[in-house]
């Protein structure tokens, strides 16, 4: 787990004694992780290679449901290596979602 994986996490210890849980990435930011993954050639989940373009926002609690009103677009590389134009398309989609997770 990382501290910035959820809004309710204000702090996260590397070792949580009560849970006997090790959080080796507790002090890492999202930028730290993607920089490391790119520099070391770490294989990443193929879900990172797609953008989801929509005409209107979709509630976070509903984004797992089937048949959502978005277009799943293959990017050919992780989304953080893409330009804004590659993510949003041409013409630009009003709303774009990406799969941002490392072990969530």
């Amino acid at each position: 787990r990382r501290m910035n994986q959820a809004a309710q996490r204000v702090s996260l210890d590397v070792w949580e004694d009560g849970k006997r849980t090790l959080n080796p990435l507790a002090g890492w930011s999202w930028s730290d992780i993607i920089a490391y993954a790119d520099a070391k050639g770490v294989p990443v989940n193929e879900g990172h290679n797609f953008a989801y373009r929509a005409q209107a926002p979709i509630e976070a609690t509903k984004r797992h449901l089937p048949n959502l009103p978005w277009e799943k677009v293959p990017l050919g590389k992780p989304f953080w290596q893409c330009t804004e134009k590659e993510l949003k398309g041409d013409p630009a989609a009003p709303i774009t979602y990406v799969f941002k997770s490392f072990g969530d």
Side-chain angles (χ1 to χ4, degrees):
R1 296 188 306 165
R2 292 186 327 274
M3 188 174 67
N4 66 350
Q5 281 178 304
Q8 69 272 21
R9 290 190 192 144
V10 177
S11 67
L12 182 66
D13 294 326
V14 172
W15 175 252
E16 295 178 76
D17 199 39
K19 293 182 178 181
R20 300 185 54 77
T21 301
L22 178 65
N23 302 303
L25 303 181
W28 289 42
S29 68
W30 175 253
S31 296
D32 294 335
I33 289 173
I34 61 174
Y36 182 90
D38 288 347
K40 303 292 185 181
V42 175
V44 298
N45 185 313
E46 287 189 26
H48 294 297
N49 297 347
F50 295 93
Y52 299 84
R53 298 177 185 152
Q55 295 301 309
I58 300 169
E59 292 179 49
T61 57
K62 295 184 179 182
R63 292 183 202 149
H64 69 285
L65 298 173
N67 303 317
L68 290 172
W70 60 21
E71 176 188 9
K72 181 180 179 181
V73 181
L75 300 170
K77 58 188 171 186
F79 69 85
W80 58 85
Q81 296 174 357
C82 295
T83 65
E84 195 71 18
K85 185 174 181 177
E86 290 172 314
L87 287 174
K88 293 192 174 290
D90 188 18
I95 304 291
T96 304
Y97 299 102
V98 294
F99 174 69
K100 181 182 173 188
S101 175
F102 274 84
D104 283 350

